[in-house]
Amino acid sequence: MEEMRELGSLALKLERYRYNITGSLAWVIFGMLFGSAIAMFNGITLLVGYYWSIMTTCLMSAGLIGAVIYRMFLGFTPPIEETRKRWRKGWFLFFTPFIVIYILPNFLNLTQLQASLYYSLAWYPSLGIGFLLTGIFAEAKDEMLVTKSLTCVGISILASSMAFVLLSKLVTNYYGVVALGLIATSMMLLIYLGVFLLTFFRASKAVFET
């Protein structure tokens, strides 16, 4: 009887380990996906100039590919319908700040350079707010998680967004616009790497050291 209990406990630990490792790998995959999309947009901007349609196409392509990958990842998560339902609702919240922040310039009197700078950076705080909203809604009651990774990433991105308030004052041409976009991308990838490592090692500790 004792062996059965231990076997059941081990099975639960392994399931929790798989769940969190899958979540940690998602940061690596989505980081590469969106990092590539933003780098491609910045490269095209240097070649032909800034066009918001190119930025939208790059980000939407990354988002669509990411949605397909996300559905594939669902196969590695526990089939608990209540948990999945909360996550689905949480991801709807994720897109809300993008809609609001990208509509905002229509009500502002921005020059072409200011508008280009705004659109090249707006995705970064939008990402932070989106992750934070999703994390607060979906992660709070997910007992399988070893790290509230979305909440951590959201707070980290929002905190680091403050740097662009100062850096934007240095921008005098479109090269500066591209430069700040690349800096934002680099910061995003570093934050993703950090939360991947944190989740990976916490998941290992939760299984093998308890």
Side-chain angles (χ1 to χ4, degrees):
M1 193 66 177
E2 184 64 29
E3 291 180 356
M4 291 294 292
R5 267 198 297 268
E6 290 180 1
L7 186 61
S9 176
L10 178 60
L12 288 173
K13 287 181 180 180
L14 290 174
E15 184 67 19
R16 191 182 187 199
Y17 176 75
R18 185 178 69 159
Y19 183 57
N20 284 279
I21 289 298
T22 299
S24 69
L25 287 174
W27 291 110
V28 178
I29 294 170
F30 284 99
M32 289 190 292
L33 189 61
F34 280 92
S36 298
I38 296 166
M40 185 177 295
F41 159 69
N42 284 318
I44 294 172
T45 299
L46 288 175
L47 288 174
V48 301
Y50 176 86
Y51 293 94
W52 70 268
S53 57
I54 295 176
M55 178 195 66
T56 304
T57 301
C58 289
L59 292 179
M60 286 187 66
S61 298
L64 289 172
I65 296 171
V68 173
I69 294 174
Y70 176 72
R71 287 195 62 83
M72 294 170 63
F73 266 56
L74 282 178
F76 295 93
T77 60
I80 305 173
E81 187 56 33
E82 184 61 32
T83 299
R84 289 188 175 182
K85 190 179 295 184
R86 285 188 66 82
W87 277 102
R88 282 195 292 267
K89 290 179 180 178
W91 284 118
F92 276 112
L93 289 174
F94 175 79
F95 295 102
T96 304
F98 285 90
I99 296 170
V100 173
I101 290 175
Y102 274 90
I103 288 176
L104 189 60
N106 295 320
F107 305 97
L108 302 175
N109 186 25
L110 300 177
T111 65
Q112 189 173 358
L113 180 62
Q114 289 173 333
S116 299
L117 178 61
Y118 182 94
Y119 283 116
S120 70
L121 290 177
W123 64 269
Y124 191 72
S126 300
L127 193 68
I129 297 170
F131 279 139
L132 187 59
L133 290 174
T134 305
I136 291 172
F137 182 82
E139 288 182 329
K141 294 186 178 181
D142 193 339
E143 297 179 355
M144 292 284 284
L145 293 173
V146 296
T147 304
K148 309 299 184 188
S149 59
L150 290 179
T151 304
C152 290
V153 169
I155 292 172
S156 299
I157 289 178
L158 285 176
S160 59
S161 293
M162 298 299 104
F164 293 107
V165 176
L166 298 175
L167 291 174
S168 62
K169 296 178 181 180
L170 303 175
V171 176
T172 57
N173 53 45
Y174 289 101
Y175 288 104
V177 172
V178 173
L180 288 196
L182 292 172
I183 291 172
T185 303
S186 299
M187 291 168 67
M188 176 194 74
L189 292 175
L190 285 173
I191 291 171
Y192 283 9
L193 175 62
V195 80
F196 158 71
L197 293 173
L198 178 65
T199 305
F200 180 86
F201 287 115
R202 281 194 176 179
S204 300
K205 186 176 181 180
V207 173
F208 299 112
E209 296 184 20
T210 57

